[in-house]
Amino acid sequence: MAPEQARGDAAAIDARTDVFGLGAILYEILTGLPPYPEGSFQALLGKAKRGEIVPPRERAPARSIPPLLEAVARKALAPRQEDRFQSARELHDAIQEYIEGIHDAERRAAEAGRLRDVADRLRADLAREEEREAALRREEEALRSSLAEHDPEERKRPLWDLSARVHAAREGSTAAFNRATAAYMAVLSIEAEDRASRSALAEIYYRRLHAAEARGDREASALYEGLVAQ
């Protein structure tokens, strides 16, 4: 409901009132929520009269709403009629410009942001997998040090079982590493200078470098040192 409708100002209702209604639809598409939050009728009516609407990106920060589309929605929902698009055609044209790629750079940034969110979640998964592998390796080393070469098989069997778990954990962390790095590379394929993604990749490679140095793997150390530098 546009402010002029909420105030009952019938004489002020015109095409810009329709623009407000279309803006409300766009707002809900972008945020998944109606422009006014739930509340009592009087509270909602008061907000409607004043046109008090939380900006889409502030209302739904997890959605990575493109700034341009937010600007379109906010203009359509402006409390003052003269600040809105003056017709549905003007609103249509503004959205069409976005769809047709006039603002391709912004759309690429939005897509990079969406992919970066995915990559960040995969990086968290990787950290958990690496910690699990490291804990099992420590447990394996402690158990190995407690055994003698001449110990019977029944004493060595727990070590063999643990070694199998270490192997499985290593495969899990390798798969998680591949997923996370591929996701960040996907971001860089869109925004080659994305500093957050480059920093995240450097951190991932540095952890691998540190682990390789700890186990004395010179070949892997050289590989990850080069990747960190890159």
Side-chain angles (χ1 to χ4, degrees):
M1 181 181 294
E4 59 271 21
Q5 288 176 308
R7 292 192 300 267
D9 188 357
I13 294 175
D14 58 17
R16 296 169 294 183
T17 305
D18 295 333
V19 166
F20 191 97
L22 293 171
I25 294 173
L26 176 59
Y27 185 99
E28 189 156 359
I29 290 172
L30 294 175
T31 66
L33 300 164
Y36 301 117
E38 293 183 0
S40 69
F41 175 77
Q42 290 301 325
L44 290 176
L45 186 60
K47 288 181 180 294
K49 287 179 179 180
R50 295 184 296 273
E52 292 181 0
I53 297 174
V54 177
R57 283 158 60 88
E58 183 179 337
R59 186 84 181 280
R63 286 203 164 206
S64 300
I65 296 168
L68 176 64
L69 285 183
E70 178 182 56
V72 171
R74 293 184 70 176
K75 183 172 181 177
L77 293 168
R80 300 197 321 159
Q81 288 169 280
E82 55 268 33
D83 294 334
R84 299 175 202 158
F85 296 102
Q86 296 303 290
S87 68
R89 168 57 64 180
E90 284 190 12
L91 173 58
H92 166 273
D93 290 346
I95 295 174
Q96 193 65 26
E97 283 186 356
Y98 179 82
I99 294 173
E100 290 177 356
I102 300 301
H103 299 275
D104 182 63
E106 183 170 303
R107 292 210 319 276
R108 288 169 66 86
E111 178 63 8
R114 185 188 68 80
L115 289 173
R116 194 187 311 111
D117 289 343
V118 172
D120 287 343
R121 290 195 293 272
L122 292 174
R123 179 171 56 143
D125 292 342
L126 170 61
R128 287 190 291 270
E129 291 288 343
E130 287 179 334
E131 179 54 37
R132 177 171 174 269
E133 180 187 354
L136 286 171
R137 284 187 181 278
R138 290 192 295 269
E139 188 178 345
E140 180 188 34
E141 291 172 5
L143 183 55
R144 191 186 303 278
S145 66
S146 70
L147 296 173
E149 185 176 348
H150 59 269
D151 282 340
E153 286 189 4
E154 57 269 21
R155 283 209 63 198
K156 293 181 178 179
R157 192 170 303 280
L159 176 62
W160 298 339
D161 293 340
L162 186 55
S163 295
R165 291 173 61 196
V166 169
H167 178 75
R170 181 169 65 249
E171 290 186 337
S173 64
T174 297
F177 170 83
N178 291 337
R179 289 192 295 270
T181 54
Y184 282 117
M185 293 304 292
V187 177
L188 295 176
S189 72
I190 298 174
E191 294 287 348
E193 300 305 319
D194 187 86
R195 293 176 64 85
S197 294
R198 288 190 175 278
S199 178
L201 276 172
E203 179 188 329
I204 290 171
Y205 294 144
Y206 182 79
R207 289 204 306 266
R208 290 268 156 161
L209 169 62
H210 182 73
E213 288 176 338
R215 64 177 182 269
D217 189 336
R218 292 186 178 181
E219 185 175 349
S221 294
L223 169 64
Y224 291 117
E225 184 176 1
L227 288 171
V228 169
Q230 180 182 337

